[in-house]
């Protein structure tokens, strides 16, 4: 269920629309955003970058286990964001 919802939200972005529930993730990098998904299975997040003309990059997708986003999830997204600069 969460995977389908995430896919739908990413399809909206590809069509030039905004996801239903999102927020900027400046702590990851410029142009990084977070899609927030709630369903019976729990809370899920997708970090992505949309400010690149060639593509939308999904940096990290995960199930949220605590109220606050864990540092390791943010650090992983940051590391992947930095790799985009080397492409």
């Amino acid at each position: 269920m969460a995977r389908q919802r995430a896919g739908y939200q990413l399809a909206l972005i590809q069509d030039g629309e905004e996801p239903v529930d999102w927020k900027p993730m400046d702590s990851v990098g410029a142009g990084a955003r977070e899609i927030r998904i709630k369903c019976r299975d729990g809370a899920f997040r997708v970090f992505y970058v949309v400010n690149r003309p060639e593509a939308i990059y999904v940096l990290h997708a995960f199930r949220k286990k605590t109220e606050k986003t864990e540092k390791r999830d943010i650090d992983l997204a940051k590391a992947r964001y930095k790799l985009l600069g080397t492409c």
Side-chain angles (χ1 to χ4, degrees):
M1 176 76 89
R3 188 178 297 180
Q4 289 174 331
R5 289 185 183 184
Y8 175 74
Q9 299 302 314
L10 291 169
L12 287 175
I13 296 164
Q14 287 176 321
D15 290 339
E17 299 180 37
E18 296 290 340
V20 174
D21 187 7
W22 69 276
K23 72 175 190 172
M25 288 299 294
D26 295 329
S27 60
V28 172
R33 296 180 177 182
E34 172 187 57
I35 297 172
R36 300 180 285 200
I37 300 167
K38 292 180 187 173
C39 58
R40 346 179 255 272
D41 300 340
F44 297 84
R45 300 294 186 261
V46 179
F47 292 157
Y48 68 98
V49 176
V50 74
N51 66 348
R52 304 294 172 101
E54 69 277 7
I56 296 165
Y57 292 95
V58 174
L59 302 172
H60 186 38
F62 58 99
R63 171 183 255 157
K64 199 162 176 194
K65 297 178 182 167
T66 62
E67 191 67 30
K68 185 177 177 187
T69 302
E70 293 191 29
K71 184 180 181 315
R72 66 186 168 114
D73 290 311
I74 293 172
D75 288 346
L76 179 58
K78 277 184 188 178
R80 291 176 176 168
Y81 182 92
K82 287 180 185 177
L83 289 175
L84 293 177
T86 61
C87 295

